[in-house]
Amino acid sequence: MSAYQKEYLLAKEDPKQFWQSQAENINWFQKPTKILEFDNNGIERWFSDGVLNTCWLALDYHCEQGRGDNVALIYDSPVTGNKSRYTYNQLRDQVSKIAGMLASKGVGKGDRVIIYMPMIPQAAMAMLACARLGAIHSVVFGGFAPHELAVRIDDAQPKIILTASCGIEFTTVIPYKPLVDKAIEKSNWKPDTVIVYQRPQCLAELTQSYDLDWNQAYEQAQPHSCVPVLSTDPLYILYTSGTTGKPKGVVRDNGGHAVALKYSMGAIYNIAEDGVYWAVSDVGWVLGHSYIVYAPLIHGCTSVLYEGKPIKTPDAGVFWRVCAEHKVNVLFAAPTAFRAIKKEDSEGTQIKKYDLSPLQVIFMAGERLDSPTMNWTQEKTGKPIIDNWWQTETGWPIVANPIGIEPMPVKAGSSTKPVPGYHLDILDGQGEVLGPNQQGFIAIKRPMPPSCLPTIWRNHDRFKSGYLNQFPGYYISGDGGYFDSDGYLYIMGRIDDVINVAGHRLSTGEMEEVVAGHPAIAECAVVGISDELKGQLPLGLIVLKDGVKVSDIELEKEIIDVVREKIGAVACFKQALVVERLPKTRSGKILRKTIRQIADGEEYTLPSTIDDPTSLNEIEKILER
């Protein structure tokens, strides 16, 4: 039996013993004796009598162990030209004063604090300061529209909002304070205080009665020690992006989260405790929560916090510059970032400028990893490319190649196998378990492992109806896919990305894989649009690589031919349109549902998470033609 099989079976057959042993790897104030219990709602709760503090684990523990002079955080901001390093001692001292600043304004255990900030060190410090107090932070992506911030204020009911005077997108300075003021004006709930960190690129006018200058409040603050909390006490609320209605506040607990993240750093990412880890994300997303702030620091790593983009800050070589300059060992980003780099530097000439010898592996997640992107990145960098699949709701990977347990052969299009702790089944519409190579609903059999959400903030009924009720005994992920005969999982996209063409259920993800393989194409999206005769038909939207000159008619014919060859005539793929860019969220997910609504002439709401609204205007004009 392989090392992976042993670990996977132990976690499956005796989850209490498995997770009790993993809990030994973090420093508890009071070690748990109750490893797995079910609460009054029938929800699994891990380490319920354990007492700890997540900020202690991330900072103070390392200082106490004599590693306080190790670098904890590197800030690299190509949009401002600023770089700075913080040791564990320095980070602990600043975080403890920020905690004192919050406490002086009445923030205590269980209170909520909204953090609406750009990618600056103070954003990570604010999160850790909340954790230090046992307060519950809710990070809202800096730059979200006032309406979206307002509905989160109303749901979380924060005592304080922490913000900065501005954010920077490429070369555009975005003032944040007017957005915060409008959100508070719109919201029914009114926070007591708004604390503003002034950035020199744009100073905010502090004219509201609730305004407070961050630096002044910080200077007056006294350091605050870590507040003990129960394992099951909430650490944070993170709202999943929605286009309409009330947002969904995913609740994360302290103990299970810390144990799972610590386990993942060794088992999945295989990084040394003093390694350099760079997750390219924003702290407003779950990747930023888990793998910029909490997991690397709990593990004892140096974490890179990057304020920039994969291109144009200043060029397509910036990722490789950061990796070389800071001697990054593990790089983690969404596939869309590498597609953007590939589009601008298809020959990989920028990569050759930098010494990437410290870089051991590149991880990708956040959306489906297509084979062309994986193959290009591996070929040009010479580094292993590891896919992994997870969700905001779980907080850490569900499926991955666990290179810290046993590296497995990579299969293009698959995120490999379930991580120990997760028991996955593929279910049909009646909840029956399907066999290999049969597509269906990807479902996690309960009990869910540590870190997974126990509820939706102030809306447990929504948690049950959205995740648990469809198939009793399972958590439904919302994604579809299948296992192959070797036990590798293939994620084919959201369930609603499966289209029905004349009674045949077909995966748009599979079509995208085929289309993206064309040498002229940088990236693509395939959506199902309404058709009177066949129900739905696939529509391809494609972005060409920079510098590529090709006839749209010839290209469309070549794509139609290759889809027919690889998938078959049953796909009825007959239309591929060239666009300048695909509409995406700020985290890189293509807005397929919105594209589908535009194509079908339906009303749609401009998603709050959209990165560039003009990309939808282009789609509308093209589809009108």
Side-chain angles (χ1 to χ4, degrees):
M1 189 182 293
S2 69
Y4 164 78
Q5 287 174 316
K6 287 179 183 176
E7 192 144 332
Y8 178 79
L9 286 175
L10 176 60
K12 178 182 175 182
E13 294 171 0
D14 195 347
K16 287 186 180 181
Q17 180 186 335
F18 179 82
W19 288 110
Q20 183 172 20
S21 67
Q22 299 308 324
E24 293 292 326
N25 294 324
I26 67 168
N27 185 246
W28 298 84
F29 295 160
Q30 178 182 307
K31 288 188 177 182
T33 60
K34 299 174 181 177
I35 305 304
L36 173 60
E37 293 190 320
F38 290 84
D39 64 20
N40 293 334
N41 292 313
I43 304 302
E44 43 272 70
R45 306 309 303 267
W46 290 93
F47 320 117
S48 59
D49 63 344
V51 178
L52 76 165
N53 182 281
T54 298
C55 182
W56 170 273
L57 297 175
L59 300 177
D60 302 65
Y61 173 73
H62 303 295
C63 299
E64 298 263 334
Q65 296 296 307
R67 296 193 294 272
D69 291 332
N70 291 6
V71 176
L73 191 69
I74 296 172
Y75 170 55
D76 190 307
S77 172
V79 297
T80 63
N82 292 330
K83 298 174 189 175
S84 52
R85 290 171 172 252
Y86 300 84
T87 65
Y88 274 93
N89 281 330
Q90 291 168 333
L91 198 57
R92 175 202 57 191
D93 292 347
Q94 292 201 33
V95 166
S96 67
K97 280 200 70 173
I98 294 170
M101 175 178 80
L102 293 173
S104 71
K105 299 303 170 186
V107 175
K109 181 178 175 182
D111 288 328
R112 275 80 62 208
V113 175
I114 279 184
I115 300 170
Y116 181 81
M117 300 186 78
M119 283 294 288
I120 56 177
Q122 288 72 23
M125 292 176 191
M127 295 166 69
L128 290 161
C130 291
R132 194 172 191 85
L133 294 174
I136 303 166
H137 65 68
S138 184
V139 182
V140 178
F141 185 93
F144 255 20
H147 170 75
E148 296 299 328
L149 179 56
V151 293
R152 287 156 174 80
I153 291 171
D154 278 335
D155 197 59
Q157 299 184 341
K159 182 163 281 191
I160 282 181
I161 295 178
L162 299 176
T163 189
S165 57
C166 67
I168 303 168
E169 291 282 325
F170 294 111
T171 57
T172 303
V173 175
I174 302 170
Y176 280 5
K177 186 58 167 53
L179 303 177
V180 172
D181 289 340
K182 286 179 185 174
I184 293 173
E185 184 182 332
K186 286 173 172 283
S187 61
N188 294 316
W189 178 267
K190 307 298 180 185
D192 295 343
T193 310
V194 174
I195 304 180
V196 183
Y197 182 82
Q198 297 280 20
R199 303 188 76 187
Q201 292 79 13
C202 173
L203 297 178
E205 293 185 11
L206 306 185
T207 57
Q208 301 290 338
S209 60
Y210 48 67
D211 287 343
L212 192 63
D213 180 87
W214 179 297
N215 286 332
Q216 290 178 9
Y218 178 87
E219 289 302 321
Q220 296 167 5
Q222 296 299 312
H224 202 292
S225 58
C226 293
V227 174
V229 299
L230 284 172
S231 171
T232 51
D233 284 336
L235 171 66
Y236 67 76
I237 304 162
L238 182 56
Y239 288 94
T240 57
S241 50
T243 57
T244 59
K246 190 176 179 182
K248 240 181 342 188
V250 169
V251 175
R252 188 84 63 225
D253 66 13
N254 274 272
H257 176 250
V259 171
L261 291 190
K262 173 65 176 173
Y263 173 67
S264 73
M265 291 299 281
I268 299 170
Y269 302 107
N270 193 35
I271 187 167
E273 291 187 354
D274 58 355
V276 181
Y277 191 100
W278 181 24
V280 189
S281 181
D282 188 283
V283 290
W285 310 126
V286 71
L287 176 55
H289 280 57
S290 294
Y291 293 107
I292 295 176
V293 180
Y294 288 117
L297 297 181
I298 288 171
H299 198 54
C301 292
T302 298
S303 181
V304 179
L305 188 147
Y306 172 74
E307 186 183 24
K309 301 289 185 180
I311 57 172
K312 295 183 170 58
T313 57
D315 54 38
V318 67
F319 269 28
W320 319 121
R321 189 272 297 169
V322 171
C323 285
E325 184 173 330
H326 303 306
K327 297 180 170 52
V328 171
N329 303 128
V330 172
L331 170 62
F332 188 169
T336 191
F338 297 97
R339 284 196 286 270
I341 295 168
K342 174 185 169 189
K343 182 176 184 294
E344 293 217 347
D345 183 26
S346 60
E347 297 305 311
T349 53
Q350 292 280 358
I351 297 170
K352 298 169 186 173
K353 296 179 181 179
Y354 300 99
D355 176 14
L356 299 182
S357 55
L359 183 61
Q360 298 161 2
V361 61
I362 298 173
F363 284 86
M364 298 193 197
E367 57 177 323
R368 193 166 182 272
L369 172 57
D370 57 287
S371 301
T373 300
M374 186 188 82
N375 294 336
W376 180 87
T377 311
Q378 184 164 329
E379 176 194 335
K380 299 303 182 185
T381 65
K383 305 298 178 181
I385 310 301
I386 305 293
D387 192 2
N388 58 134
W389 171 69
W390 46 299
Q391 301 180 320
T392 299
E393 288 85 349
T394 64
W396 67 296
I398 303 167
V399 178
N401 191 332
I403 59 174
I405 302 171
E406 178 188 11
M408 299 181 190
V410 171
K411 291 190 182 186
S414 173
S415 16
T416 314
K417 295 187 177 183
V419 173
Y422 290 97
H423 177 188
L424 302 187
D425 283 323
I426 307 298
L427 306 179
D428 66 13
Q430 287 69 51
E432 297 297 322
V433 178
L434 296 172
N437 301 306
Q438 292 182 287
Q439 286 194 39
F441 296 85
I442 302 173
I444 303 173
K445 195 166 188 178
R446 299 177 62 191
M448 298 272 279
S451 176
C452 296
L453 79 169
T455 192
I456 295 295
W457 180 253
R458 298 172 61 201
N459 199 338
H460 193 72
D461 287 343
R462 189 175 182 185
F463 173 57
K464 290 190 296 183
S465 64
Y467 299 100
L468 305 181
N469 288 352
Q470 184 174 2
F471 302 117
Y474 286 94
Y475 164 95
I476 185 69
S477 70
D479 282 318
Y482 66 93
F483 282 109
D484 70 8
S485 54
D486 295 323
Y488 278 60
L489 184 70
Y490 290 76
I491 312 294
M492 304 313 294
R494 302 299 290 174
I495 290 297
D496 57 8
D497 286 336
V498 174
I499 63 174
N500 195 316
V501 181
H504 299 280
R505 287 175 58 79
L506 299 169
S507 165
T508 56
E510 189 175 1
M511 293 185 210
E512 287 179 6
E513 181 91 9
V514 173
V515 174
H518 192 287
I521 294 175
E523 60 180 338
C524 70
V526 176
V527 299
I529 60 174
S530 296
D531 180 77
E532 286 185 11
L533 180 63
K534 295 184 181 291
Q536 284 182 296
L537 286 175
L539 167 69
L541 299 174
I542 55 180
V543 178
L544 300 178
K545 293 177 181 174
D546 281 7
V548 168
K549 303 293 184 185
V550 62
S551 159
D552 289 5
I553 295 172
E554 285 298 315
L555 179 62
E556 184 177 57
K557 182 180 183 303
E558 290 173 12
I559 293 169
I560 290 168
D561 288 346
V562 75
V563 172
R564 176 181 286 265
E565 177 193 340
K566 297 286 180 68
I567 296 177
V570 68
C572 290
F573 189 100
K574 296 178 181 178
Q575 195 172 21
L577 304 175
V578 176
V579 297
E580 284 292 319
R581 56 200 176 282
L582 295 171
K584 297 177 183 178
T585 66
R586 291 184 178 94
S587 63
K589 289 185 173 66
I590 297 169
L591 294 167
R592 292 176 177 84
K593 179 181 178 182
T594 308
I595 296 171
R596 190 164 57 242
Q597 289 173 319
I598 292 171
D600 289 342
E602 298 176 4
E603 291 291 323
Y604 70 93
T605 302
L606 188 68
S608 61
T609 55
I610 191 168
D611 189 37
D612 179 9
T614 61
S615 59
L616 284 179
N617 297 335
E618 183 197 2
I619 300 289
E620 285 183 322
K621 290 176 182 176
I622 288 173
L623 291 176
E624 282 173 5
R625 298 201 297 266

